[in-house]
Amino acid sequence: MTSKASSSVELLTRWRRIEEDEEENDDSDPSTVRRLNQRKEQWFTDAFTMLISLPKETHIWCGCSDVMGPLIETFYNFFRDDREDSPLKVLWKRISGEMRTCAQCISQHHQTQEMYEKEYECASVGPLLVVLRKLDEQRVTTHLQEINLMIEKGAYDPDHHHAEVVSVMYEVLMFPFFFDDMSLCTEFEKFIESIDNIHELAFAENQEFPGVYALLFLNRRVRVIGYRLARAMGKLRYIYMFS
Ligand SMILES: [Zn+2]
Ligand SMILES: [Zn+2]
């Protein structure tokens, strides 16, 4: 193995050591802090290189969430980074693509953010979470726009695009904060109506989608679909409280 390519095992060991040393340095000695930051920077660089060079068959969130998790800290700089091909932009493009068809990637991505929210103080992690949320809203809105356009043009092929439709629907209905974004909401309304025309939306029993209730606040056609889906989840008694 060359020294350039770090394996995920090696990266994990290094990250754990950095975390341990960080905890030990509780008197915040400035020169130790500086050295720790340098080690972190180097770790981030190596982690980017390793993840970006993973073979296409391996999803980053599915296969390497242990490395991707700590690396998400670097997204804080996303909107300050004006290069199109920086490691950060390349990585985001890749995980965005993988999240288009993979529910497990989507779950890991959101679980990691929830973990950050729980483990760190709001003042330190808040700005990072704002960036990530904005990126997620943009990503999902763009995806919905693309699917809607495809349906409009008659280019939607159920066999070919089914996984994308299921994934984006799963993401929005699992994480209802998406409904706070107005343009996303508009695209989702359009999406859910036209997809229902094609597929007759239904859920398997015992599946819980918190966002289904948000559908009841959208336009009339979508509300009707929302009622049907909510009934399928067996929670109709709660719905009467909303209506
Ligand atoms: Zn995946
Ligand atoms: Zn279908």
Side-chain angles (χ1 to χ4, degrees), residues 59-63 98 102-106:
H59 289 175
I60 288 172
W61 272 126
C62 280
E98 290 168 355
C102 181
Q104 203 188 324
C105 278
I106 293 170

Side-chain angles (χ1 to χ4, degrees), residues 139-162:
R139 168 177 60 83
V140 172
T141 306
T142 308
H143 194 195
L144 288 168
Q145 279 165 344
E146 283 178 28
I147 295 175
N148 288 338
L149 197 69
M150 194 159 62
I151 296 172
E152 254 172 62
K153 289 195 302 197
Y156 178 78
D157 168 7
D159 290 335
H160 192 250
H161 301 114
H162 194 237

Side-chain angles (χ1 to χ4, degrees), residues 22-188:
E22 219 169 25
E23 272 166 40
E24 270 168 36
N25 182 40
D26 42 14
D27 55 347
S28 327
D29 167 52
S31 67
T32 316
V33 171
R34 201 163 47 240
R35 249 175 294 131
L36 270 168
N37 283 341
Q38 280 167 1
R39 276 165 67 197
K40 261 192 179 176
E41 287 302 322
Q42 188 56 52
W43 188 89
F44 288 145
T45 306
D46 295 344
F48 274 119
T49 309
M50 193 277 279
L51 291 179
I52 290 168
S53 61
L54 279 176
K56 290 274 170 261
E57 308 82 70
T58 309
H59 289 175
I60 288 172
W61 272 126
C62 280
C64 276
S65 63
D66 292 352
V67 175
M68 188 56 215
L71 194 59
I72 217 166
E73 195 182 312
T74 60
F75 279 76
Y76 175 69
N77 291 315
F78 195 92
F79 293 110
R80 288 178 208 165
D81 179 356
D82 45 21
R83 295 166 300 165
E84 275 313 306
D85 57 351
S86 64
L88 185 59
K89 298 278 172 77
V90 172
L91 184 73
W92 175 242
K93 207 171 161 192
R94 173 149 172 186
I95 59 175
S96 297
E98 290 168 355
M99 281 190 277
R100 283 190 168 210
T101 53
C102 181
Q104 203 188 324
C105 278
I106 293 170
S107 300
Q108 282 290 354
H109 179 70
H110 289 284
Q111 269 171 31
T112 303
Q113 294 181 52
E114 282 162 13
M115 193 271 286
Y116 269 69
E117 207 173 351
K118 272 188 213 129
E119 305 241 314
Y120 301 98
E121 273 176 61
C122 183
S124 65
V125 81
L128 168 67
L129 294 175
V130 169
V131 171
L132 289 168
R133 183 146 168 181
K134 196 169 168 194
L135 281 171
D136 282 338
E137 284 168 353
Q138 285 177 353
R139 168 177 60 83
V140 172
T141 306
T142 308
H143 194 195
L144 288 168
Q145 279 165 344
E146 283 178 28
I147 295 175
N148 288 338
L149 197 69
M150 194 159 62
I151 296 172
E152 254 172 62
K153 289 195 302 197
Y156 178 78
D157 168 7
D159 290 335
H160 192 250
H161 301 114
H162 194 237
E164 277 188 47
V165 163
V166 171
S167 298
V168 76
M169 196 168 112
Y170 168 83
E171 183 164 15
V172 175
L173 294 182
M174 272 316 272
F175 305 97
F177 71 80
F178 280 119
F179 287 103
D180 295 346
D181 183 286
M182 279 299 282
S183 51
L184 192 148
C185 246
T186 311
E187 291 301 327
F188 194 70

